[in-house]
Amino acid sequence: MTEDTDSCARRTHLFCTSKPLDWKKVNTHFEMLCSCLCKKTCNCIGEEILVLKHKMGRVQIEDFVAGYLGGAASVIVGHPLDTVKVRLQAGQGYGSAFNCILTIYRNESVAGFFKGMSFPLATIAIYNSVVFGVFSNAQRFISQYRNTSRRHPPDLIDVTFASMLAGSVSVGIGGPVDLVKIKLQIQTQCASSEVVSLTENASIHHYQRTYKGPVHCVNCILRKEGLLGMYRGAGAMLLRDIPGYCLYFIPYIYLSEWLKLDRHTTPSVLSVWLAGGIAGAISWGTATPMDVIKSRLQADSLYNRKYRGVKDCIKQSYSNEGIQVFFRGITVNAIRGFPMSAAMFLTYELSLRALKTSKESN
């Protein structure tokens, strides 16, 4: 068992070619050869794991904490326009974004714009914590593994793969959060046997209230549709978020680097705010077509089930309303994306710097 692999192989070959064959000895030496090969393979794998572990370092928790704070800031800033966006995409009878804002204000006052905010405020902060934590750590691990960690700005391939991973992981938490938020936002439309158009004279007293709040909404969905019901529209969300996060993180990283006065310094507050806002407007603007499909699928079961899936929703939406339906709410999305993402990235970066400074001082 102490002989090296080459020696074991030679001895096994000699026994196999000798006449007459001693099958007992052949079998013994064959077992020894297998054992040597296994030990050598395990040693190589162990060495590779140690090298990889040394190169990639450890997960940095600060990214998750800073992402949580950034997510909370973005919800507070972006929720009013998010409500307008959802009503335009999944509702009927609004016409334009301006008319939608006036209708919500007349019928539901300022509180109508913050409808359903408690649930995303409690959950989207966690959602963003995961997204930013996964992206930052994945980008760092990939760049260290590929020996591109010293590049400024970071390598495009590293950022792209990290963005795609963050977009994939985001659906696990973001799907149920978006579903509950949309159901609470859309439920105050006039409803009878089906959704009917809102008019200026529509009264809040005629609105059908299906859900009393986020907890009641989750209970209703789980009771009627099970756990899979919480992930209605998840396919559309994946198709939105994987390219969407690539067009979110890539513009932000390169714009913030480009806006720096000195390449050896960290980006200024203004650079982070501007780069984050532009990245958010680009990402949300380009994500609008699939965001429309996701919103319709998630709002669908509130009254009558109309769509069988992503493909059916695209087909029906195009047949009934034409190509322009996929760009419904694009203006609101882009306008909302700027302040929301600016607040998110600014809070994230400032929190991350504060956490790292505190850690170094301790």
Side-chain angles (χ1 to χ4, degrees), residues 1-140:
M1 299 295 281
T2 58
E3 293 178 288
D4 63 17
T5 310
D6 293 336
S7 175
C8 287
R10 282 196 299 272
R11 292 190 63 175
T12 304
H13 174 73
L14 286 171
F15 276 110
C16 289
T17 53
S18 61
K19 292 182 183 180
L21 286 174
D22 189 338
W23 289 108
K24 260 188 182 180
K25 289 184 178 179
V26 169
N27 186 54
T28 302
H29 283 277
F30 183 74
E31 286 178 359
M32 288 170 64
L33 175 62
C34 290
S35 176
C36 289
L37 285 170
C38 286
K39 285 172 76 175
K40 196 167 185 178
T41 304
C42 289
N43 287 335
C44 289
I45 292 170
E47 286 170 9
E48 285 293 321
I49 290 171
L50 287 172
V51 170
L52 189 62
K53 189 177 179 181
H54 176 71
K55 287 176 72 176
M56 295 177 70
R58 63 179 182 82
V59 172
Q60 292 189 8
I61 304 300
E62 294 89 348
D63 292 304
F64 290 91
V65 177
Y68 179 90
L69 296 171
S74 72
V75 172
I76 296 166
V77 171
H79 194 79
L81 282 174
D82 185 63
T83 299
V84 175
K85 184 246 336 176
V86 169
R87 297 282 183 95
L88 283 169
Q89 291 178 344
Q92 295 178 12
Y94 290 113
S96 65
F98 183 70
N99 186 52
C100 181
I101 292 169
L102 287 178
T103 306
I104 294 170
Y105 181 73
R106 286 195 192 110
N107 295 326
E108 304 166 62
S109 74
V110 176
F113 294 101
F114 293 92
K115 194 173 292 294
M117 192 180 82
S118 60
F119 187 69
L121 187 60
T123 51
I124 285 182
I126 298 171
Y127 164 77
N128 274 281
S129 170
V130 172
V131 168
F132 274 80
V134 168
F135 169 78
S136 299
N137 283 284
Q139 189 259 320
R140 186 166 52 253

Side-chain angles (χ1 to χ4, degrees), residues 62-63 65-71 73 132 135-136 139 249 252-253 256-257 260 266-273 275-276 341-357:
E62 294 89 348
D63 292 304
V65 177
Y68 179 90
L69 296 171
F132 274 80
F135 169 78
S136 299
Q139 189 259 320
F249 287 114
Y252 169 72
I253 286 172
S256 60
E257 285 286 333
K260 283 196 310 186
T266 55
S268 66
V269 169
L270 181 61
S271 298
V272 171
W273 180 84
S341 298
M344 183 187 297
F345 276 110
L346 186 58
T347 307
Y348 170 78
E349 291 288 359
L350 293 177
S351 302
L352 193 60
R353 290 177 198 176
L355 287 166
K356 286 182 176 179
T357 304

